[in-house]
Amino acid sequence: MKSSKGGNAVLDIQQVKLKGVADMLTSGPVVIMQLPEELNVKEVHNFMQEIGPLLESNRPRIVLECSQVRSMESAGVEMLLRCLEEVLKRDGDLKLAALSPEAEVILELMRVARVFETFPTSDEAARSFSAIPADAIPQDAPWYSTLFGDLGALKQAS
């Protein structure tokens, strides 16, 4: 087990062995999966079978580690977009980490690079999910107080 400290949160990252193409790490509620070296139709199919149950969970928080990706076909790009769509439907998030130069170029050429939040390392991506600790937000203040200012002034203006 490996621990990394970020702010007030401590992430416990454990390696979980899976059969098939991906190595998976869990970081509390964050799952880190290693993408295969080649993202072609066959590998995409295998990877989707492994990640499928995670995509269907409630509020999935997934980091895809891309350091080993050497080639990516359009099926690989479509898979990344499909995964992002599925986690967003379930109020979760998907982030990319350690993009290889090859993966970075393909995502830029396909004009989807800006769709994904990317990080230099999977640890940084995992920590980004807990960037604002729940205890840092005052629980007694109304949610609109700092956003809209005084509601009385807002009502008078309308």
Side-chain angles (χ1 to χ4, degrees):
M1 186 167 350
K2 170 181 156 188
S3 289
S4 55
K5 294 186 180 185
N8 294 338
V10 174
L11 300 174
D12 292 322
I13 300 175
Q14 301 174 338
Q15 179 137 10
V16 178
K17 278 299 188 187
L18 292 178
K19 60 179 172 73
V21 296
D23 288 328
M24 179 171 63
L25 300 169
T26 59
S27 174
V30 178
V31 176
I32 301 170
M33 292 187 76
Q34 176 72 51
L35 287 177
E37 194 172 317
E38 293 185 27
L39 279 172
N40 54 33
V41 174
K42 180 183 176 192
E43 294 296 331
V44 164
H45 177 73
N46 293 340
F47 189 80
M48 287 303 291
Q49 286 184 327
E50 288 188 32
I51 199 171
L54 293 171
L55 297 176
E56 294 171 4
S57 65
N58 185 33
R59 298 192 70 196
R61 296 167 17 142
I62 301 170
V63 174
L64 297 179
E65 218 275 358
C66 306
S67 64
Q68 294 182 3
V69 175
R70 296 295 166 245
S71 70
M72 185 184 310
E73 295 178 358
S74 61
V77 175
E78 289 172 19
M79 178 208 67
L80 294 175
L81 293 169
R82 192 172 339 126
C83 289
L84 180 62
E85 179 182 22
E86 290 302 314
V87 298
L88 292 176
K89 280 182 193 176
R90 289 167 180 80
D91 198 26
D93 203 0
L94 177 129
K95 301 178 184 199
L96 303 180
L99 282 165
S100 67
E102 296 88 348
E104 207 167 348
V105 167
I106 294 297
L107 294 176
E108 284 290 333
L109 288 173
M110 298 293 285
R111 299 180 186 258
V112 297
R114 287 185 271 157
V115 172
F116 298 98
E117 192 173 358
T118 61
F119 293 86
T121 67
S122 54
D123 282 347
E124 289 179 62
R127 279 195 301 270
S128 75
F129 282 104
S130 58
I132 302 174
D135 59 346
I137 302 169
Q139 299 300 312
D140 56 341
W143 63 270
Y144 54 80
S145 64
T146 58
L147 185 59
F148 298 114
D150 181 26
L151 278 184
L154 187 63
K155 286 180 183 176
Q156 287 177 351
S158 59

